[in-house]
Amino acid sequence: MRIPARHVLLAALLVVVAACSKEPASTPAASAPAATPPPATAPAPAAPAAPAAPTPSEEVFSRAELDQMVAPLALYPDSLLAQVLMASTYPGDVADAVAWSKAHPKEEGDAAVKLVANEPWDPSVQALVAFPQALATLGQDPGWVQRLGDAFLAQPSDVMDAVQRLRHQAQAAGNLESNQYQKVSMEAAPAPAPAAEPAMGTVVEQAPPQTIIIEPTDPEVVYVPSYNPTQVYGTWAYPSYPPPYYPPTPYWYPGSALMTGLAFGTGIAIADSLWGDCDWGGGDIDIDVDRYNNINTNRQINRTENTFRHNAANRDGVPYRDRANRERNGRQLADSGRRDAFRGDDPGRARQREQARSSMQQRGIEPARNNREARDRAQAASRDMRERPQGQARDQQRERAAQTTRDRQQAGARERQQAGARDRQRAQAAQASRQGGDRARAQQQSRSTSQARQQRGQSNTQARNTARQQQARSQGGARNNAFEGSRSNPSQSRAQANRGRSSNASAQRSSGSRGGGGGHQVQRQAPQRQGGGGRHR
């Protein structure tokens, strides 16, 4: 028969309690026999103690994602890197600090930190206003800042290891060495803490054998480096997760003078602004209490508070990505579990929310970083919903007006076409009328010309006939009637008769009597007369 291990453990505990209740004098004697049975079953209690061991942290980001996130700032000086990591856990405050730095571009160093002492930001964020170059880089991608803070809260040791991996890569590529701006040194890596035996098939990644430390050459002057991660780290091991590059602001990097692949801008003189430092062995941030209290006069801390402790009150409502931080920093009140059950919150819904958050991130949509941004988005959505009907009405009015204009243009085009057709018809009718009139006039003129020609022909014929008749009458009367003229003019008739008689008498006389002997007789031939009444031509 096999006795369960829990029964053996319970019996052992009862024996120990009974032994402790006896007198001290009898304790050694009594306890010896009482303690005899347990050694045989001593290994059994170890089994139930295993669940009490601390569970490993939730892996929110993979190694490739961590290297991608820390690439733009892994080569920062350790103290500045620690300040950025702490501040990134408050993404809403970082966004406000970026806006303040843009509004005050000439403020830097400890003086700038004192100017924002009354701002409701976490002290780690207030310390960053001393370095406008760093804020200019963080301000280019707020989503990256939030993911970096979530990674540092959920996996601080993994983040530190990612920084060391990239520093070793930059050093191997020849882009990380000491110069007048920074001091690069090597330290032996601390021995790793003992860990549970990994499951079969699990690959255990060993940390780099040495830790690379980056410090300012002058502790009171800090130079913020700027570089292109795709160049300074050599060949990138994760093509699917390329590192982002945030170009430097020309105001702080005049000329972009490169030094071994890094650009160092204007140095920032500081005294107490940097009060954090990286604890590479512990995967945490150490705090210099003296420097912290010197710069944060209205927020003093005790010397025991010498490590970074996240303050959920300054998170400003930005949700946590991992379950552990949600449970630790959720500030749940008593009986909150009952309220969650009443509201229907259960692990299934939590998984759905995580899936929805992951889906939004894959699509490039980041959740609101703080309550203010959430309210702004809600107000913007409300305004859009209110303005959408008005916008639709305006669009409809514009469409109707455009349609009316188009109708008018079409009607005008039709009228112009009809007017053009009428004008062409009128022109054709006028042309036809002109052509008809021309033909009528030509015909009339032709008829008139023909009639005139006929009339002239008739007149000429009549005139010729009349002339012939007149000539015939004039010639015929004189020829047929020798005494025609005597009736009208007697004196002329007598004269002509006298001339005739004289001429006749002369003709009868001899030539001798007219001329005296010589000479010859002249005979005149009487003119011949033509018959008829024709005129001479």
Side-chain angles (χ1 to χ4, degrees):
M1 177 178 173
R2 184 177 179 180
I3 301 174
R6 62 177 180 272
H7 292 172
V8 176
L9 178 61
L10 180 59
L13 293 177
L14 291 175
V15 171
V16 173
V17 172
C20 294
S21 62
K22 295 182 179 181
E23 293 293 330
S26 61
T27 300
S31 60
T36 302
T41 59
T55 58
S57 60
E58 179 184 355
E59 183 178 348
V60 180
F61 298 100
S62 64
R63 173 174 174 171
E65 291 174 323
L66 292 175
D67 287 4
Q68 181 188 45
M69 279 188 288
V70 302
L73 47 85
L75 303 186
Y76 279 15
D78 289 10
S79 55
L80 179 58
L81 174 63
Q83 214 76 48
V84 172
L85 291 177
M86 289 188 293
S88 65
T89 62
Y90 311 102
D93 290 351
V94 172
D96 294 339
V98 170
W100 186 92
S101 181
K102 289 181 179 179
H104 305 81
K106 296 183 179 180
E107 302 297 339
E108 61 182 47
D110 293 350
V113 178
K114 293 178 181 179
L115 289 176
V116 297
N118 295 326
E119 295 291 341
W121 309 335
D122 189 83
S124 61
V125 178
Q126 292 181 354
L128 282 184
V129 299
F131 306 96
Q133 305 97 315
L135 282 178
T137 300
L138 297 176
Q140 295 185 45
D141 192 351
W144 164 61
V145 175
Q146 181 176 349
R147 291 192 300 271
L148 178 65
D150 292 342
F152 183 65
L153 287 175
Q155 302 166 254
S157 298
D158 294 340
V159 171
M160 295 291 190
D161 293 342
V163 172
Q164 285 299 320
R165 281 196 301 271
L166 294 181
R167 287 186 176 184
H168 279 274
Q169 291 182 16
Q171 190 179 52
N175 295 323
L176 181 60
E177 58 185 11
S178 299
N179 50 48
Q180 66 268 35
Y181 304 107
Q182 64 184 8
K183 176 184 177 182
V184 181
S185 59
M186 306 286 292
E187 291 184 0
E197 183 179 355
M200 183 178 297
T202 302
V203 178
V204 179
E205 297 179 358
Q206 298 295 333
Q210 289 183 321
T211 300
I212 298 180
I213 307 298
I214 302 178
E215 300 172 311
T217 303
D218 183 354
E220 296 183 354
V221 179
V222 178
Y223 292 89
V224 181
S226 178
Y227 52 89
N228 189 342
T230 59
Q231 299 176 359
V232 77
Y233 294 121
T235 303
W236 190 253
Y238 314 103
S240 299
Y241 296 90
Y245 172 54
Y246 304 110
T249 304
Y251 181 82
W252 295 105
Y253 295 86
S256 297
L258 296 178
M259 177 64 66
T260 64
L262 277 72
F264 293 91
T266 306
I268 304 297
I270 55 99
D272 298 314
S273 296
L274 292 180
W275 39 262
D277 200 2
C278 294
D279 182 6
W280 299 108
D284 202 351
I285 304 295
D286 293 335
I287 294 177
D288 188 329
V289 178
D290 293 334
R291 283 193 170 189
Y292 179 94
N293 289 334
N294 289 338
I295 197 68
N296 297 292
T297 57
N298 57 347
R299 297 184 183 184
Q300 300 290 298
I301 61 175
N302 299 324
R303 291 196 173 276
T304 57
E305 301 174 336
N306 57 356
T307 58
F308 170 65
R309 298 178 184 177
H310 177 70
N311 186 357
N314 293 332
R315 181 82 171 179
D316 199 15
V318 178
Y320 293 93
R321 196 177 298 264
D322 63 306
R323 183 182 302 276
N325 277 282
R326 286 197 298 270
E327 294 176 354
R328 184 184 308 116
N329 301 310
R331 293 178 294 175
Q332 295 182 353
L333 301 177
D335 297 334
S336 60
R338 296 182 182 179
R339 289 199 303 271
D340 292 342
F342 177 76
R343 294 169 181 168
D345 291 339
D346 53 16
R349 293 193 62 184
R351 286 192 299 271
Q352 293 177 358
R353 286 194 294 269
E354 289 296 333
Q355 293 175 359
R357 185 180 293 108
S358 301
S359 177
M360 292 175 63
Q361 292 174 356
Q362 292 176 358
R363 296 178 181 178
I365 302 175
E366 286 292 334
R369 295 185 296 272
N370 48 50
N371 293 337
R372 183 186 307 170
E373 184 174 351
R375 288 193 299 269
D376 292 343
R377 291 184 182 180
Q379 292 174 0
S382 178
R383 285 195 300 271
D384 292 341
M385 293 180 64
R386 290 195 304 268
E387 294 176 358
R388 188 173 303 164
Q390 299 177 359
Q392 293 177 353
R394 288 193 296 268
D395 294 341
Q396 292 176 357
Q397 292 178 357
R398 286 194 292 268
E399 181 63 25
R400 287 195 296 270
Q403 184 64 35
T404 302
T405 303
R406 289 193 295 269
D407 294 341
R408 291 177 179 175
Q409 292 175 352
Q410 294 176 358
R414 287 194 298 270
E415 291 179 358
R416 287 191 296 271
Q417 291 177 357
Q418 295 175 359
R422 289 193 297 270
D423 293 340
R424 286 192 296 272
Q425 291 176 357
R426 294 194 193 97
Q428 292 174 359
Q431 184 176 4
S433 177
R434 286 194 298 272
Q435 292 177 355
D438 293 341
R439 286 195 296 270
R441 284 192 297 273
Q443 293 176 358
Q444 181 66 28
Q445 185 176 2
S446 177
R447 288 194 295 270
S448 300
T449 304
S450 177
Q451 293 176 359
R453 189 179 295 112
Q454 292 177 359
Q455 292 177 358
R456 284 197 298 272
Q458 295 176 357
S459 299
N460 292 336
T461 302
Q462 184 177 2
R464 284 194 296 273
N465 294 332
T466 304
R468 289 191 187 96
Q469 293 176 0
Q470 291 177 356
Q471 185 176 7
R473 283 196 301 271
S474 60
Q475 292 179 358
R479 187 176 53 249
N480 297 326
N481 189 4
F483 299 101
E484 182 68 21
S486 60
R487 295 187 181 98
S488 59
N489 193 354
S491 60
Q492 183 178 4
S493 298
R494 283 193 299 270
Q496 290 176 354
N498 293 330
R499 281 197 303 272
R501 284 192 295 271
S502 297
S503 177
N504 190 18
S506 297
Q508 292 177 1
R509 282 194 302 264
S510 61
S511 56
S513 61
R514 288 192 307 263
H520 60 277
Q521 185 177 359
V522 178
Q523 294 181 359
R524 293 186 177 95
Q525 185 178 356
Q528 297 180 1
R529 302 179 184 272
Q530 296 180 355
R535 68 181 178 179
H536 299 279
R537 300 182 183 225

